[in-house]
Amino acid sequence: MTENPKLTEKILVFLYCISQLELKININTFRRYIYLYYMTKAFFSDSETDDVVISIEKGNVKIVNFDDILNTLQLQNYIELEDNFIIIKTALKDYVGKLVSNGAMLFQLYKQINPFVNLLKSYDDQFIFTIFFSEPTYTRATQGAETEISPLKSQLSKLLLEFKKKIANDKVDDYDILSHWMDFILKNYYEISGDN
């Protein structure tokens, strides 16, 4: 199918989770979801070490194999690419639904991605845009000479882990920590913007 089967699995599960809320998503928003997922993955899971190659070109993010995977899914009639949107088809929902059912092959991945999608979907697309451009690894890459970044070395994951250690409370959910970071970014960005 593609050279990155793990990314393909994640994209399929992401689209399935999104389809539970809506059947259409902007491609750039979806790309940001995948980017933020990989940037926080080390924070949520110690065991997973798969990585993607992310390149930064003039402020634009490109995830290697991302477009190829979407084109393949379109050829398989799982999605339709229309203008700048992904339209999720029933065939994808049926196919992935079996793979994520309790105990199935992608069940654990679904349990990890579904709350992440629900968290991101609770924000407006414009807010995700702001959060994305405030992500520390991305900011560092755009300000420096780096053209490629590795999510396994994510500054965001390191910040979230440091923050969690300072809380020193096992009862605090990892998604609560991420949402606090997101709210902090939005509050400060919009307060600063509102003052101008």
Side-chain angles (χ1 to χ4, degrees), residues 7 12 36 41 44 69 82 101 108 146 152 172 175:
L7 177 59
L12 281 168
L36 286 169
K41 198 157 60 80
F44 287 111
I69 292 168
E82 186 179 282
S101 61
Q108 291 303 321
E146 290 180 79
L152 289 178
V172 176
Y175 286 99

Side-chain angles (χ1 to χ4, degrees), residues 18-19 23 30 35 50 56 85 89 118 121 176:
I18 290 164
S19 76
L23 295 176
F30 184 57
Y35 175 90
D50 71 293
I56 308 286
F85 287 90
K89 295 190 169 186
N118 288 331
K121 289 300 294 172
D176 287 338

Side-chain angles (χ1 to χ4, degrees), residues 13-22 25 30 33 37 44 109-125 128 131 173 175-176 178-179 182-183:
V13 174
F14 257 93
L15 289 170
Y16 175 79
C17 293
I18 290 164
S19 76
Q20 305 303 302
L21 304 165
E22 62 184 352
I25 186 166
F30 184 57
Y33 280 20
Y37 173 77
F44 287 111
L109 186 61
Y110 169 73
K111 278 180 38 180
Q112 187 183 72
I113 289 176
N114 194 47
F116 190 81
V117 167
N118 288 331
L119 173 64
L120 294 183
K121 289 300 294 172
S122 69
Y123 292 92
D124 183 89
D125 282 0
I128 295 298
I131 290 162
D173 184 71
Y175 286 99
D176 287 338
L178 179 61
S179 67
M182 291 166 81
D183 289 340

